[in-house]
Amino acid sequence: MSLVNERIERRETVQKKYCRFKKYGIKYVDYKDPDFLLKFLNEQGKILPRRITGNSMKFQRKVGTAVKRARHLALLPYVADGLK
Amino acid sequence: MFQNHYETVFILTPVLSEVQIQETVAKFKQVLIDNGAELVNEEHWGLRKLAYPIQHKSTGYYQLFHFTATPELISTLEIAYKRDERLLRFLTLKLDKHAIVYADRRMKKVKSKKEEATAE
């Protein structure tokens, strides 16, 4: 009995990631509203990497500084569990 | 004199009474105005829950000032912050051109919301 791998159907092509800042023309990442910044944090409150968020390098750095400022002002936690 | 746009946010301990809060906020506003700063916008976010306890306190009064000033003023402002023990934490930063546009739009939005609130 020969082992046959069943055919795995390929998921339809992954939707092209885009940088939301370039697309919607956002120029400034505000450190004062934590709800927007939550989109770039995972459950433990860590900053998501670019390959997940799809941000361009320029805006990933801006998001990084904004999140760090928000953490300094206790708007965002440094370490959290079940943040969302 | 060359004036930059600055924005400063600070957190006051929740232990203070209403009067003391007004007094400390007025004190820092006075520090700004005495040294020739021009206040563009100020916001009081009131009592907010902190994401993590600072000095064993879990809530704090947030206050924001957006002003234009000469660079020397910032060191005097920060010394005043460090000296005042009612302050849990502060953050002062210079605004670049995108940030200034954002701050103006935010100010208009808050003002229009206030007008709607009073209009009703």
Side-chain angles (χ1 to χ4, degrees):
Chain A
M1 213 271 284
S2 68
L3 293 177
V4 175
N5 297 337
E6 80 282 352
R7 219 178 51 74
I8 42 166
E9 80 293 329
R10 253 172 36 77
R11 273 186 304 113
E12 23 75 27
T13 57
V14 174
Q15 188 230 358
K16 177 87 183 61
K17 280 202 180 69
Y18 58 86
C19 171
R20 63 173 67 212
F21 296 98
K22 261 192 239 157
K23 194 158 183 235
Y24 301 130
I26 306 170
K27 283 278 191 298
Y28 174 68
V29 183
D30 188 16
Y31 64 94
K32 295 190 289 294
D33 63 350
D35 320 330
F36 179 67
L37 294 177
L38 277 181
K39 297 194 183 78
F40 302 103
L41 300 183
N42 66 3
E43 274 70 35
Q44 289 146 12
K46 295 183 189 177
I47 301 173
L48 288 171
R50 245 176 71 193
R51 54 186 164 75
I52 309 264
T53 57
N55 289 342
S56 61
M57 191 63 215
K58 176 178 171 183
F59 285 101
Q60 179 72 12
R61 261 189 243 111
K62 286 184 194 258
V63 164
T65 47
V67 165
K68 284 165 195 167
R69 285 180 183 155
R71 285 177 177 160
H72 176 72
L73 280 177
L75 299 170
L76 285 178
Y78 280 94
V79 173
D81 43 7
L83 183 72
K84 285 283 179 287
Chain B
M1 251 313 268
F2 180 71
Q3 299 241 324
N4 289 323
H5 278 262
Y6 293 101
E7 186 176 70
T8 180
V9 184
F10 53 88
I11 312 175
L12 299 172
T13 56
V15 181
L16 303 175
S17 70
E18 202 51 39
V19 172
Q20 281 166 325
I21 292 160
Q22 250 67 35
E23 184 218 323
T24 42
V25 168
K27 175 190 150 195
F28 286 118
K29 205 192 290 185
Q30 207 48 43
V31 165
L32 288 176
I33 293 165
D34 289 353
N35 300 355
E38 190 249 327
L39 208 60
V40 174
N41 177 23
E42 64 166 292
E43 280 170 29
H44 188 64
W45 298 346
L47 192 68
R48 262 179 85 128
K49 225 185 117 8
L50 301 179
Y52 52 87
I54 303 177
Q55 295 173 12
H56 308 298
K57 295 182 179 59
S58 65
T59 55
Y61 285 98
Y62 281 74
Q63 173 70 27
L64 174 121
F65 284 132
H66 174 205
F67 58 94
T68 57
T70 54
E72 300 80 24
L73 176 114
I74 299 305
S75 51
T76 53
L77 181 71
E78 301 243 318
I79 290 166
Y81 280 145
K82 287 197 185 83
R83 202 168 285 145
D84 191 328
E85 80 286 348
R86 286 168 296 196
L87 227 59
L88 288 183
R89 194 153 286 186
F90 61 89
L91 176 73
T92 318
L93 45 100
K94 186 173 124 173
L95 298 181
D96 60 5
K97 58 182 186 307
H98 299 307
I100 296 167
V101 166
Y102 180 85
D104 291 347
R105 207 177 312 135
R106 180 188 161 101
M107 198 165 55
K108 289 192 187 65
K109 208 187 305 169
V110 168
K111 208 167 282 174
S112 61
K113 216 171 285 168
K114 234 175 247 153
E115 266 128 32
E116 275 149 34
T118 47
E120 272 130 35

